[in-house]
């Protein structure tokens, strides 16, 4: 399993990301050819990679020279440009995810629909090049998982096309929802919207570096030279023997001893509908010998407060506790398999390229059982026998 770990001690920007990936060994032609697939006039920009250093640390610098006169670009136009290009599907998918997160944040900050989001002329080309270049480089490396370190917030103000804005800029702050941050770095803009969007869209988790054997290190220099630390993004390329996926989740818990048990099932349904990854009850014996249950909910970190509030609204609990946790998990996908009972959705669980097992989906089997008047157990047996092979 190939892993990228973004060591963002100084922060992250789009150009720093591309530079670090090039320094890691991605051929410059991979980035140049990917950008050339877009409908940007070749004369409107030029790309270059330079060698530089920041406080004695050697690093690559990715430079995009853009003509000042550029057409007005909306998110919908950029998304269409990527989709209609000859980019590889994996590159398109990654670039679209990043641009959507960026446009989503801009839309929320400016109070407009996502289709109305526009990118200022020169900045639009910079963002397009950085995002498509990063997507192409990651795709070329054949990465299975991406992890990032907590990001520095920075401080002060930054001059933008909208005027003087606080650091982190509003769109950047919106993109940082659910991502661990810290205030240990000095003043200045340490995380740009493009850099935040790349990690928000593509990272599988944040925190400490995952266990791996390091096979490469790339250093990408930022434009500025900060007083406190080297303005360099380090990206570690590593490998693990297995192909288990790793991510971080939040676990929310509360004890309930004074609620009508008829409502408990409803609460689980509401939590799962609201985006919980899992939810369960376990029996407890509490003070005063009261029988009770512990409600445990697993959520993505960015949904923690939303699901915790739902728990407090839907149960008699007056408080919840939560803590971060890491998961190791097998990859899984839903597929439609054909059987004598018709098409059935199954869950295909993999360890790398190897299929570990194929599991029938409960809802699909229950639907068939009701429609055909069959025992659910019999439907399961047929689906497992006919659709359970790789």
């Amino acid at each position: 399993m190939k892993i990228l770990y973004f060591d963002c001690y100084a922060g992250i920007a789009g150009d720093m990301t591309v530079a670090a990936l090039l320094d890691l060994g991605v051929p410059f032609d991979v980035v140049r050819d990917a950008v050339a697939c877009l409908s940007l006039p070749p004369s409107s920009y030029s790309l270059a990679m330079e060698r530089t250093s920041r406080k004695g640390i050697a690093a690559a610098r990715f430079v995009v020279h853009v003509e000042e006169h550029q057409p007005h670009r909306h998110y919908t136009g950029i998304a269409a440009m990527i989709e209609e290009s000859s980019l590889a599907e994996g590159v398109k998918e990654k670039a679209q995810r990043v641009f959507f997160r960026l446009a989503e944040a801009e839309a929320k900050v400016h109070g407009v629909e996502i289709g109305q989001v526009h990118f200022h002329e020169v900045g639009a080309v910079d963002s397009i090049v950085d995002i498509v270049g990063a997507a192409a480089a990651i795709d070329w490396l054949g990465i299975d998982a991406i992890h990032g370190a907590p990001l520095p917030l920075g401080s002060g103000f930054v001059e933008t096309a909208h005027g003087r804005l606080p650091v982190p800029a509003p769109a950047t702050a919106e993109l940082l929802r659910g991502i661990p941050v810290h205030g240990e770095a000095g003043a200045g803009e340490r995380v740009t919207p493009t850099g935040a969007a790349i990690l928000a869209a593509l990272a599988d988790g944040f925190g400490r570096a995952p266990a791996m054997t390091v096979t490469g290190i790339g250093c990408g220099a930022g434009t500025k030279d900060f007083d406190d630390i080297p303005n360099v993004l380090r990206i570690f390329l590593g490998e693990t023997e297995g192909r288990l996926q790793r991510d971080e989740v939040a676990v929310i818990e509360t004890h309930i001893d004074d609620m009508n048990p008829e409502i408990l099932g409803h609460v689980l349904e509401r939590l799962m509908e609201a985006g919980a990854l899992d939810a369960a009850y376990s029996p407890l014996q509490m003070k005063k010998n009261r029988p009770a249950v512990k409600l445990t909910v697993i959520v993505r970190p960015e949904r923690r407060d939303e699901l915790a509030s739902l728990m407090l609204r839907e149960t008699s609990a007056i408080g919840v506790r939560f803590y971060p946790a890491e998961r190791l998990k097998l990859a899984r996908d839903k597929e439609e398999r054909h059987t004598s009972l018709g098409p059935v959705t199954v869950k295909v669980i993999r360890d790398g390229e190897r299929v570990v097992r194929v599991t029938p989906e409960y809802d699909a089997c229950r639907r068939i059982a009701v429609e055909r008047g069959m025992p659910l157990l019999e439907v399961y047996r047929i689906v497992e026998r006919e659709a359970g092979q790789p």
Side-chain angles (χ1 to χ4, degrees):
M1 181 176 184
K2 297 178 73 173
I3 300 172
L4 285 182
Y5 180 70
F6 283 64
D7 180 20
C8 309
Y9 69 87
I12 184 173
D15 60 336
M16 295 170 75
T17 301
V18 177
L21 291 167
L22 291 172
D23 193 49
L24 196 54
V26 176
F28 184 77
D29 288 352
V30 169
V31 173
R32 184 190 61 193
D33 294 348
V35 177
C37 289
L38 305 172
S39 57
L40 295 171
S43 60
S44 67
Y45 70 92
S46 63
L47 312 180
M49 175 181 163
E50 304 172 351
R51 300 302 307 176
T52 186
S53 67
R54 293 288 182 267
K55 294 192 177 299
I57 296 181
R61 183 165 177 247
F62 181 61
V63 183
V64 183
H65 296 286
V66 181
E67 292 293 328
E68 289 297 324
H69 301 291
Q70 297 286 335
H72 200 62
R73 288 186 170 91
H74 283 77
Y75 163 69
T76 51
I78 294 172
M81 177 195 300
I82 295 171
E83 188 58 36
E84 294 165 5
S85 72
S86 58
L87 289 166
E89 288 304 315
V91 179
K92 283 185 184 180
E93 188 270 337
K94 292 179 181 66
Q96 293 283 32
R97 279 163 57 193
V98 176
F99 251 113
F100 178 79
R101 289 299 297 269
L102 183 57
E104 190 179 42
E106 292 281 0
K108 186 166 185 178
V109 166
H110 298 296
V112 299
E113 295 296 324
I114 193 167
Q116 298 176 294
V117 170
H118 70 274
F119 295 89
H120 293 277
E121 289 80 355
V122 175
V125 177
D126 273 341
S127 296
I128 293 168
V129 170
D130 290 344
I131 290 171
V132 171
I138 292 169
D139 192 70
W140 184 86
L141 287 168
I143 299 303
D144 298 298
I146 296 175
H147 296 268
L151 299 176
L153 278 177
S155 62
F157 295 86
V158 61
E159 300 297 332
T160 74
H162 296 286
R164 199 165 187 243
L165 297 176
V167 172
T172 303
E174 188 63 34
L175 285 160
L176 293 176
R177 286 180 181 269
I179 296 176
V181 299
H182 63 82
E184 296 174 7
E189 185 181 31
R190 305 300 173 117
V191 178
T192 69
T194 303
I198 289 171
L199 279 184
L202 302 183
D204 298 287
F206 292 88
R208 295 170 296 180
M212 62 182 180
T213 300
V214 175
T215 58
I217 304 172
C219 294
T223 304
K224 298 176 182 177
D225 205 349
F226 296 123
D227 292 334
D228 55 339
I229 52 177
N231 189 18
V232 171
L233 168 67
R234 292 192 301 181
I235 299 181
F236 290 83
L237 175 64
E239 293 186 358
T240 60
E241 290 185 5
R243 301 180 71 87
L244 293 177
Q245 297 179 351
R246 180 189 296 265
D247 66 358
E248 292 196 355
V249 295
V251 180
I252 316 172
E253 295 178 344
T254 190
H255 294 170
I256 302 170
D257 66 355
D258 58 349
M259 196 172 87
N260 184 342
E262 292 180 343
I263 301 174
L264 294 177
H266 167 75
V267 172
L268 282 191
E269 291 176 0
R270 289 281 291 114
L271 289 166
M272 296 304 294
E273 290 170 356
L277 299 173
D278 202 358
Y281 293 112
S282 52
L284 293 173
Q285 194 73 22
M286 291 181 60
K287 61 182 182 295
K288 300 180 182 179
N289 292 320
R290 291 177 182 168
V293 294
K294 178 170 73 172
L295 172 57
T296 303
V297 183
I298 301 174
V299 302
R300 299 206 179 280
E302 63 269 19
R303 305 293 301 279
R304 185 195 68 191
D305 290 355
E306 177 187 348
L307 272 293
S309 296
L310 178 60
M311 290 167 66
L312 292 172
R313 291 197 307 270
E314 293 283 354
T315 73
S316 60
I318 58 175
V320 300
R321 58 193 169 276
F322 46 77
Y323 52 89
E326 288 186 288
R327 297 191 302 176
L328 283 176
K329 59 183 183 178
L330 293 166
R332 77 289 306 267
D333 295 294
K334 288 186 178 181
E335 295 182 4
E336 192 174 82
R337 297 284 177 91
H338 294 283
T339 72
S340 59
L341 300 176
V344 182
T345 303
V346 298
K347 186 181 296 178
V348 182
I349 302 167
R350 294 183 172 88
D351 182 1
E353 299 299 321
R354 183 175 67 89
V355 174
V356 177
R357 60 184 176 273
V358 178
T359 305
E361 282 286 285
Y362 166 77
D363 289 336
C365 291
R366 182 181 180 280
R367 173 184 55 79
I368 292 173
V370 172
E371 290 175 353
R372 292 175 172 261
M374 297 172 60
L376 181 58
L377 183 59
E378 183 180 350
V379 174
Y380 259 81
R381 287 171 178 162
I382 293 173
V383 173
E384 287 174 340
R385 183 176 65 250
E386 298 181 7
Q389 298 302 315

